[in-house]
Amino acid sequence: MRFPAVCPQCQREVQVEFADSAVHDVTCPHCSTRFCVFVRKQKFEVLFDLGTRALMDGYAREAVASFAAALERFFEFYVRSFAFERAALAGQTDFDGAADILESTWRHVSSQSERQVGMMALAYLLREGREPDFLTAKALGADFRNRVIHRGYLPRREEVDAYAARVFALIDRLLGELGTGAAHAELAQERQFAAHLAALPDGVTAVFEEHPGMFRARRFAGAGGEKLGVKNLPGQPARASAPTKATAPMNDAQAFQKALKERGPLLKGLRK
């Protein structure tokens, strides 16, 4: 899958293929300018957005594979966020040292998804102090996922919608619980970017991009901001807020469809 970038020299659009590292070394096909695009986006976000785009284009089975991979990579993101957060709370200031220990530890489970789920369960227990009730096979939609990915089942659109809603709701919930703890894993990506940036040869322009997406739009829109409203002038009595109509909470399917309607159009720039 590719995303559009703009050449810093000729200002023409260039299609760039997503790289696993989120670092993209590009040579403009129009003017031969070399530049490097750093995409500030976690892998689970990219995978979920690719799944969403596949679903929008009618590729239901391909969407399931991307959604399933997004959930696995989010569990890794959660574990990394927790590990870095715990190290910071313990007063450890050597971020690189903590990252090296985490990398060497993750290698023991990197090729076994069941062990990764086990690490996720323990990280959640230690951080939140309660059982990770979302890790049951039913809650994860494991049977549906396995039928599609391993047994060649051709799912109906409504089945994929339900699975996507389940994954979206779980990641959205856990991101909310992580809160500022997610910033520790974000910092790890920034340090990787810095290392690549320092090694760029002369004449190569660095371009940093912040792509919209199903989760990123929610995480960063209005972060830390307050609602805008009519302010009281000095000496005036406080104005009563207008009553708001109570709305029933949305279920997973409704929340996903709402997000899809609001943020799906932001993904139309992605191409095969």
Side-chain angles (χ1 to χ4, degrees):
M1 190 70 77
R2 296 171 294 163
F3 65 91
V6 176
C7 173
Q9 179 64 32
C10 68
Q11 299 299 306
R12 297 176 71 178
E13 183 177 295
V14 178
Q15 289 296 315
V16 181
E17 188 173 9
F18 275 110
D20 192 69
S21 63
V23 177
H24 311 80
D25 294 303
V26 183
T27 299
C28 178
H30 308 294
C31 68
S32 300
T33 294
R34 296 173 63 196
F35 61 103
C36 184
V37 181
F38 298 85
V39 178
R40 287 189 170 107
K41 202 167 192 176
Q42 296 296 321
K43 190 180 294 185
F44 76 88
E45 296 178 280
V46 174
L47 287 166
F48 196 93
D49 287 348
L50 294 181
T52 301
R53 183 57 200 265
L55 187 61
M56 292 166 61
D57 289 343
Y59 299 100
R61 192 174 187 279
E62 291 78 0
V64 172
S66 291
F67 291 140
L71 184 58
E72 290 185 357
R73 296 288 60 79
F74 175 74
F75 285 168
E76 179 183 358
F77 176 82
Y78 187 101
V79 170
R80 290 179 179 276
S81 297
F82 168 72
F84 286 132
E85 181 184 46
R86 193 175 182 87
L89 291 174
Q92 186 171 348
T93 58
D94 182 7
F95 190 93
D96 289 335
D100 289 342
I101 294 172
L102 179 57
E103 287 297 332
S104 60
T105 301
W106 189 259
R107 290 194 195 101
H108 295 293
V109 302
S110 61
S111 60
Q112 296 174 297
S113 58
E114 293 85 358
R115 290 187 177 184
Q116 293 174 26
V117 171
M119 290 190 74
M120 173 66 195
L122 183 59
Y124 188 85
L125 171 64
L126 293 176
R127 189 177 194 275
E128 301 296 333
R130 59 180 182 272
E131 175 192 358
D133 56 352
F134 51 85
L135 288 181
T136 64
K138 182 178 180 180
L140 295 176
D143 180 64
F144 172 73
R145 170 196 177 279
N146 291 337
R147 281 190 293 135
V148 172
I149 295 178
H150 299 302
R151 302 176 206 162
Y153 175 65
L154 300 178
R156 301 188 308 276
R157 170 62 188 257
E158 56 267 29
E159 292 178 297
V160 181
D161 280 341
Y163 181 70
R166 184 191 301 269
V167 173
F168 177 81
L170 178 54
I171 294 178
D172 197 52
R173 165 194 159 183
L174 293 175
L175 275 176
E177 292 180 1
L178 262 180
T180 57
H184 296 279
E186 299 277 2
L187 177 59
Q189 184 183 64
E190 291 297 323
R191 293 175 76 91
Q192 292 171 358
F193 287 174
H196 192 90
L197 180 64
L200 286 179
D202 293 339
V204 177
T205 303
V207 178
F208 288 84
E209 295 191 355
E210 186 83 57
H211 289 182
M214 294 293 285
F215 296 108
R216 189 144 291 245
R218 178 191 184 281
R219 284 207 284 153
F220 290 92
E226 298 178 353
K227 286 187 177 180
L228 298 178
V230 179
K231 294 183 178 180
N232 297 313
L233 296 176
Q236 287 186 337
R239 301 185 184 185
S241 300
T244 57
K245 184 178 180 180
T247 57
M250 293 183 290
N251 59 33
D252 292 353
Q254 292 169 331
F256 175 68
Q257 290 301 323
K258 181 176 184 294
L260 187 61
K261 182 178 179 181
E262 293 175 349
R263 306 164 204 168
L266 301 174
L267 306 178
K268 289 185 177 180
L270 302 180
R271 299 179 183 176
K272 284 189 172 183

